[in-house]
Amino acid sequence: MKIWLSGASSGLGLALARQLLSDGHQVAVSARRAEPLQTLAGDFPGQVLVLPADLTDASSVAQLAQTLQHHWAQLDMAILNAGTCEYMDVQHYQHALLEHVVRTNLFSASLCIEHLLPLLRRSAHGHLVAIGSSATFFPLPRAEAYGASKAALRYLMESLRVDLAAEHIAVTLVSPGFIDTPLTAQNDFPMPMQLTAEQAARHIARRLPAQPQEINFPRVFIAILKLLNHLPAALRLAVGQYLSRNAKEDQSNKEHP
């Protein structure tokens, strides 16, 4: 199978690339930094197509798609993994921060979809996959920018699933809990049921062949978030405020041990 994967230079993307390559697939990998991609190609000779790109830049994505078409002609699966996570301090609300996160997590995915859909259409079993977040199941403290970008990505993917069904292109949204990556290493709050990048990659790779509509994990963590979201509005607000207070206390304790 020919697979394109973004954000493959570190964290979940790198672990997922290694898992897919170990499973015998051909994988085109993209990220801004070429060096980790070249290292990956050296570890899996003949299986890796290195396509460094800035996915927030339209011309860069267009060039990526042209190169991919030149080498492969078609694409069986596209995995939109590239993204960022930055938290908002509501005392100093910044539109620029939200704009940056939405551009990175949503607009870059949209650019890739525009340019890669024609290649997916050439496959007999095209599969579009996006890495979302469990943050879309319940509003979390300081996640205004990150949560909004991932909630928009969820709606985009769910709408695409409806419109692409007639073309037999499957659409899967992956919504993981906390994963140990360079991004989450910067978090200053407890991360329950956290998985390693390798554990998450194995789980995703195992589920992808069935082309499910969603891949959500860990199950218990997701179930708790969904249960919280079904509470009455007043209780949801109370839980959110409790989590917000705890997050502030954890941050303060780390800053002033």
Side-chain angles (χ1 to χ4, degrees):
M1 184 177 290
K2 292 181 172 64
I3 302 172
W4 173 79
L5 169 66
S6 68
S9 62
S10 65
L12 175 60
L14 178 57
L16 185 54
R18 288 190 173 277
Q19 182 63 53
L20 294 170
L21 289 163
S22 297
D23 291 342
H25 301 292
Q26 293 178 269
V27 183
V29 288
S30 294
R32 293 189 182 187
R33 296 183 297 135
E35 293 81 3
L37 307 182
Q38 297 290 358
T39 300
L40 189 64
D43 292 341
F44 294 89
Q47 284 184 258
V48 180
L49 180 59
V50 175
L51 299 174
D54 177 0
L55 301 184
T56 64
D57 179 76
S59 61
S60 184
V61 176
Q63 181 60 53
L64 181 156
Q66 289 175 9
T67 305
L68 198 54
Q69 180 177 345
H70 173 75
H71 285 274
W72 284 355
Q74 71 176 46
L75 191 61
D76 299 310
M77 185 186 301
I79 305 178
L80 306 166
N81 169 72
T84 187
C85 180
E86 298 182 36
Y87 295 106
M88 182 82 74
D89 178 359
V90 75
Q91 299 301 319
H92 306 281
Y93 186 95
Q94 295 176 285
H95 168 75
L97 187 149
L98 188 143
E99 184 177 31
H100 166 69
V101 173
V102 170
R103 183 185 300 112
T104 304
N105 291 352
L106 177 65
F107 292 168
S108 66
S110 179
L111 271 174
C112 292
I113 291 168
E114 176 184 347
H115 289 282
L116 296 179
L117 259 182
L119 295 176
L120 288 173
R121 288 186 169 111
R122 296 179 183 179
S123 172
H125 42 77
H127 191 185
L128 178 63
V129 181
I131 307 299
S133 171
S134 58
T136 59
F137 297 126
F138 187 77
L140 299 173
R142 299 189 295 157
E144 290 85 353
Y146 178 72
S149 70
K150 292 299 187 178
L153 181 64
R154 167 175 286 279
Y155 196 98
L156 174 64
M157 295 296 286
E158 290 179 349
S159 292
L160 284 169
R161 182 181 298 128
V162 174
D163 286 331
L164 292 174
E167 300 184 55
H168 304 289
I169 295 177
V171 176
T172 297
L173 179 65
V174 181
S175 300
F178 293 111
I179 301 173
D180 185 11
T181 69
L183 275 178
T184 58
Q186 302 174 39
N187 290 350
D188 54 8
F189 53 85
M191 292 175 283
M193 305 183 202
Q194 185 181 47
L195 301 176
T196 66
E198 290 72 24
Q199 287 174 319
R202 285 195 297 271
H203 182 81
I204 294 168
R206 187 169 61 248
R207 296 285 309 281
L208 283 177
Q211 297 187 334
Q213 292 186 10
E214 296 215 16
I215 300 175
N216 305 325
F217 63 96
R219 288 185 179 180
V220 173
F221 182 68
I222 299 298
I224 291 172
L225 290 180
K226 289 184 175 182
L227 178 62
L228 290 174
N229 201 45
H230 282 86
L231 293 173
L235 284 178
R236 288 202 306 272
L237 177 59
V239 172
Q241 289 177 312
Y242 172 78
L243 294 175
S244 180
R245 285 194 300 271
N246 282 358
K248 289 177 181 177
E249 289 174 3
D250 289 333
Q251 184 178 18
S252 178
N253 290 337
K254 288 190 176 185
E255 291 175 351
H256 309 284

